Amino acid sequence: MLPPGDSRDRDVIGLREATKAWFAVSLQTFGGPAGQIAVMQRMLVDERRWIGQQRFLFALSYCTLLPGPEAQQLATYVGWLLNGVRGALVAGTLFVLPGVVALLALSAVYVAYGETSGVEAVFLGLGAAVIAIVVQALGRLGRRALTRPAYAWLAVASFLALTLFAVPFPAVVATAAFLGWLLGRLRPASVVLPADPPDAGPPPLVPDDALHTERPSTRRSALVLGLGLLLWTTPVVLAALTLGRDSVLVDQGLFFSGAALVTFGGAYAVLAFVAQQAVTVYGWLTAGEMVRGLALAETTPGPLIMVVQFVAFLGAYRDPGGLDPWVAAVLAALLTTWVTFVPCFLFILLGAPYVERLRQHQGLSAALSGITAAVVGVIANLAVYFALHTLFGDTTRVGAGPLSLEVPVPDSVHWQAVLLTALSFLLVVGRGWSVPRTLVTCALGGVLLSLV
């Protein structure tokens, strides 16, 4: 059932055409949030002109404030702008579907064979390609978002705070929001973003200055909240009623439901907590397996938080209760995915109509613009993290006082990854190859190098 006010005649683009576009986006969502946001930037803003640049950045700033994977929530938000509730459900679901299927298959391969050398060779090439793709996309996003010196300084400060001083992500976002608001009050001219230049292409279908037609209401909010909570909790309740409170599926459903509410700052911010609980408290897997799961999640399409599916699969396979181990593992993986992502839809569908009405509020817009600038620094930090863990097998932390920097162990360099990364930069930057073509080429390169 769709909330009142949602109708087909408000589709900005045909739902069938939008679905095809979101499916194309879903097949390119490698490399964590940096790569995923870059794919949407290129396809929706630059190429198709479905949404204006500042509208896209505003939605990104709002999603950054929410718990959960911001890239998937950004897709859901843009889907809502284009096609209402149906568009939000299509965009958000397709964004995670390839990752669910891929990681479910890889989890089964890991359990059955214990070795995934062939798959790892493919992922080695994909991971190397993603580094170049993210760096290129980061430059594009930075040129569009950092249009004022104040924003550029905010981005640099955010990057340094995360990279050199290990400042918690929520603190970086909160500080950026405050500084953006303060700049808006003290020096409004220093933070006002210009519209897209005249040569940026045809006008976007969702322009920067237009409001969404769906107005917020108490009735609509109550309906969305009630239906969302019902859908979120029902599978866990059914598992408890049919399998008993002591079932591993119930434990995982409750644990990952709670984790979904505290995933501020993206997957990396919460994975330390998830790993500690899953390994030392519940014993679902070992610390080494947690690292392998994260490596698989980093090189499969979809949000990095999808690693929780791998955790649940292994935990239920080893403690299936009265179920067949394979059945328990698959059910646990799907249940964990459900309780992790349903809140993302709830946050967007509940809050987006209100946020749309506040877009013209000068103070809020300035605060969110500060967050947008900080996101550039955050993505740069994630790109560095991804490069470190792709090109090197081991890293260590060095520090002095408040300084805390993660550096690679030189002897652990992966020369195959270095060669493939150089190839990906040559293809993407030097030759201007498309993302899918580059990914396929580097994946084949990874397989060839593994054979050599």
Side-chain angles (χ1 to χ4, degrees):
M1 178 179 179
L2 299 180
D6 187 84
S7 60
R8 291 180 181 270
D9 61 356
R10 289 176 181 168
D11 287 348
V12 175
I13 195 75
L15 183 61
R16 178 172 295 185
E17 182 179 354
T19 301
K20 292 179 181 178
W22 288 117
F23 183 70
V25 169
S26 73
L27 297 179
Q28 303 179 42
T29 54
F30 293 90
Q36 294 154 6
I37 293 169
V39 167
M40 288 186 281
Q41 164 77 36
R42 176 175 55 82
M43 294 187 65
L44 305 178
V45 180
D46 298 337
E47 296 178 358
R48 299 175 186 266
R49 303 295 295 163
W50 282 359
I51 181 172
Q53 180 65 66
Q54 305 310 325
R55 195 68 172 274
F56 181 82
L57 294 176
F58 182 91
L60 174 59
S61 298
Y62 169 62
C63 295
T64 303
L65 293 174
L66 300 173
E70 63 269 26
Q72 189 267 350
Q73 291 168 331
L74 176 61
T76 305
Y77 195 118
V78 176
W80 176 77
L81 288 174
L82 295 172
N83 299 97
V85 174
R86 295 174 304 141
L89 296 176
V90 168
T93 301
L94 286 179
F95 195 88
V96 302
L97 189 59
V100 171
V101 175
L103 201 54
L104 191 64
L106 292 174
S107 300
V109 170
Y110 181 84
V111 168
Y113 301 104
E115 297 291 338
T116 57
S117 56
V119 176
E120 287 176 351
V122 172
F123 287 161
L124 177 67
L126 294 176
V130 164
I131 296 175
I133 293 168
V134 168
V135 170
Q136 181 195 49
L138 181 63
R140 291 176 177 174
L141 183 61
R143 285 193 297 271
R144 288 168 170 81
L146 308 181
T147 55
R148 293 289 186 268
Y151 290 146
W153 284 112
L154 268 177
V156 172
S158 300
F159 174 77
L160 294 177
L162 291 165
T163 306
L164 298 182
F165 300 98
V167 177
F169 177 86
V172 172
V173 171
T175 303
F178 173 74
L179 292 177
W181 171 83
L182 189 62
L183 284 169
R185 290 292 301 271
L186 301 180
R187 299 182 59 187
S190 67
V191 296
V192 175
L193 292 174
D196 286 346
D199 60 351
L205 297 181
V206 181
D208 293 332
D209 56 352
L211 287 174
H212 195 275
T213 56
E214 186 175 358
R215 301 187 64 87
S217 68
T218 303
R219 181 171 177 266
R220 179 194 179 280
S221 298
L223 177 61
V224 170
L225 181 61
L227 184 59
L229 291 176
L230 179 64
L231 291 172
W232 187 19
T233 58
T234 295
V236 181
V237 173
L238 290 177
L241 292 177
T242 56
L243 302 175
R245 175 60 187 85
D246 296 332
S247 170
V248 66
L249 270 70
V250 178
D251 288 338
Q252 291 177 345
L254 293 174
F255 173 70
F256 288 114
S257 293
L261 298 178
V262 296
T263 53
F264 294 96
Y268 293 122
V270 76
L271 282 180
F273 167 71
V274 170
Q276 192 271 336
Q277 295 292 310
V279 173
T280 63
V281 176
Y282 292 102
W284 292 329
L285 74 175
T286 67
E289 287 172 333
M290 186 71 195
V291 174
R292 295 183 201 114
L294 179 58
L296 292 177
E298 283 180 324
T299 47
T300 52
L304 295 181
I305 196 63
M306 199 71 73
V307 67
V308 299
Q309 180 184 337
F310 179 82
V311 174
F313 191 100
L314 265 63
Y317 182 86
R318 291 163 178 170
D319 183 20
L323 297 175
D324 176 83
W326 287 104
V327 172
V330 171
L331 289 178
L334 296 179
L335 174 64
T336 296
T337 302
W338 179 268
V339 299
T340 298
F341 287 101
V342 166
C344 299
F345 292 96
L346 179 59
F347 294 144
I348 295 300
L349 294 177
L350 190 62
Y354 295 95
V355 173
E356 282 289 297
R357 283 332 190 249
L358 292 173
R359 274 197 314 113
Q360 304 302 328
H361 188 279
Q362 184 177 0
L364 178 63
S365 295
L368 290 180
S369 295
I371 294 173
T372 301
V375 166
V376 176
V378 171
I379 292 176
N381 171 260
L382 288 178
V384 170
Y385 179 94
F386 192 76
L388 280 175
H389 291 269
T390 300
L391 302 179
F392 297 89
D394 294 308
T395 62
T396 185
R397 273 201 179 271
V398 297
L403 180 67
S404 178
L405 178 63
E406 185 177 19
V407 296
V409 176
D411 293 341
S412 68
V413 62
H414 293 314
W415 290 111
Q416 299 97 327
V418 173
L419 292 175
L420 291 169
T421 301
L423 173 64
S424 65
F425 271 97
L426 174 64
L427 298 179
V428 172
V429 180
R431 308 285 295 181
W433 279 26
S434 67
V435 171
R437 188 181 180 187
T438 303
L439 289 171
V440 170
T441 302
C442 289
L444 293 175
V447 174
L448 290 176
L449 284 178
S450 70
L451 294 177
V452 173

